[in-house]
Amino acid sequence: MNKSYLVVALVLVWSLLAVVAEAAPKSELIPFWDASNESNESSIDHAAWQSLLDKYLTEHSSGINRFDYNALKENTEDYESLVAYLLRLSDLDPRRFSKTEQLPYWINFYNALTVYIVTQRYPIKSIKDIKSGTFDFGPWNLKLATIQGQKVTLNNIEHGILRPIWMDSRIHYALNCASLGCPNLARKAYRSDNMEELLEAGAREYINHPRGVSIENNRLTVSSIYDWYRDEFGNSNEGVLAHLQKYAEPDLAKQLERFTKYKHAYDWKLNAP
């Protein structure tokens, strides 16, 4: 094969891989996890996760919360506390709890697993520097936990459990991917009694920050989240814009009325200090 043709072919392959890597997996239920015990009124303790958030997560002048992965990595006792918390969650059977208790379980598990894998591999510039496989960008397909004999990945939690079972687009504001473009890692651990409050606050906070919605030179740019999960935000430009207007502050909501289309962008740089 001509060398120039080979170069072009390789460029096309890598370009295609980049597009695939940016596309979100479909929401496909993992039936094993679609069960609950609604008569169980007990709750799951997330105090250990809250303690780590209090110590290592800080608000930043940019409006994007930062997590000090380096400091956590250097503090052996706290790092072991994170591991112990994850192991304790892994030892539970979430199906024995009510759905309202399962939701914070899975969200906190996802966020804590993300902090764990980033801290383990730190220093890195982006979570996408962690590979799940030869052509995978990011750790989302790594089998990071075993729960009730089931190997679990971050993608399993988001796309096989949270999205198909709860079908609530606000969950995207609760899951943190350790990136500047992502909705903030919440300062509070999710619990059944603060879930609604935090989901609503997450939506308002993200949409009213430039990484969620930005208007410059009469051009609207929104987070790529609204492209990746377009079907969960009305599956149309109109649906996405209606969702944005619902949570936008009055001035921004008024400006959004002028638009019928938008571009999207996302910043994958690590949300470290």
Side-chain angles (χ1 to χ4, degrees):
M1 179 183 289
N2 184 289
K3 189 175 293 185
S4 62
Y5 284 114
L6 179 60
V7 171
V8 171
L10 288 172
V11 169
L12 290 173
V13 168
W14 283 106
S15 297
L16 178 60
L17 288 172
V19 170
V20 172
E22 287 291 311
K26 292 181 180 179
S27 173
E28 294 184 297
L29 176 67
I30 302 174
F32 181 86
W33 299 111
D34 191 17
S36 66
N37 179 2
E38 297 304 318
S39 66
N40 185 356
E41 298 180 357
S42 60
S43 60
I44 299 171
D45 183 9
H46 298 287
W49 177 230
Q50 183 63 63
S51 178
L52 292 168
L53 291 172
D54 291 340
K55 191 167 183 177
Y56 295 100
L57 184 67
T58 58
E59 294 179 349
H60 189 268
S61 58
S62 66
I64 304 174
N65 292 348
R66 308 302 176 100
F67 195 94
D68 198 338
Y69 303 100
N70 185 56
L72 176 58
K73 188 166 189 173
E74 292 183 346
N75 189 318
T76 302
E77 183 177 350
D78 285 347
Y79 182 73
E80 290 178 352
S81 176
L82 172 61
V83 172
Y85 170 69
L86 290 169
L87 289 174
R88 182 167 60 79
L89 292 188
S90 299
D91 286 340
L92 297 176
D93 184 349
R95 300 169 303 169
R96 296 181 179 274
F97 292 85
S98 66
K99 279 291 200 296
T100 55
E101 200 61 33
Q102 287 182 31
L103 183 54
Y105 167 91
W106 286 116
I107 290 175
N108 290 330
F109 205 163
Y110 184 100
N111 289 337
L113 278 174
T114 299
V115 166
Y116 163 76
I117 192 62
V118 171
T119 302
Q120 185 187 65
R121 305 296 177 87
Y122 195 84
I124 54 175
K125 293 182 178 180
S126 169
I127 191 172
K128 293 180 76 176
D129 295 338
I130 304 171
K131 306 299 183 185
S132 301
T134 305
F135 300 114
D136 282 339
F137 299 89
W140 297 288
N141 285 321
L142 290 174
K143 296 174 181 178
L144 298 176
T146 301
I147 309 171
Q148 298 302 300
Q150 304 295 305
K151 299 289 186 180
V152 175
T153 69
L154 290 170
N155 270 344
N156 290 155
I157 295 174
E158 181 174 5
H159 309 297
I161 301 171
L162 286 169
R163 290 175 64 200
I165 293 178
W166 279 273
M167 294 187 289
D168 187 336
S169 62
R170 297 175 303 168
I171 287 173
H172 295 296
Y173 303 115
L175 300 179
N176 184 264
C177 66
S179 303
L180 296 181
C182 194
N184 273 333
L185 178 57
R187 297 292 307 276
K188 296 180 180 178
Y190 286 84
R191 305 186 310 269
S192 56
D193 64 348
N194 69 9
M195 178 61 62
E196 184 65 20
E197 174 190 351
L198 291 183
L199 290 177
E200 286 290 289
R204 287 194 302 272
E205 181 181 82
Y206 192 62
I207 288 169
N208 290 286
H209 187 277
R211 72 193 189 285
V213 179
S214 176
I215 301 174
E216 291 185 9
N217 300 321
N218 203 34
R219 179 174 295 177
L220 173 62
T221 303
V222 303
S223 167
S224 295
I225 285 175
Y226 302 111
D227 179 65
W228 298 331
Y229 305 107
R230 180 183 174 89
D231 60 328
E232 294 177 31
F233 295 101
N235 204 28
S236 65
N237 286 7
E238 294 79 7
V240 169
L241 290 166
H243 175 81
L244 299 178
Q245 287 179 295
K246 177 181 178 180
Y247 291 100
E249 295 296 335
D251 182 58
L252 177 59
K254 185 67 176 177
Q255 293 185 66
L256 287 172
E257 292 177 359
R258 298 188 286 115
F259 296 94
T260 58
K261 59 183 180 179
Y262 50 80
K263 292 190 173 183
H264 63 91
Y266 203 81
D267 188 346
W268 284 104
K269 289 192 291 292
L270 198 68
N271 63 341

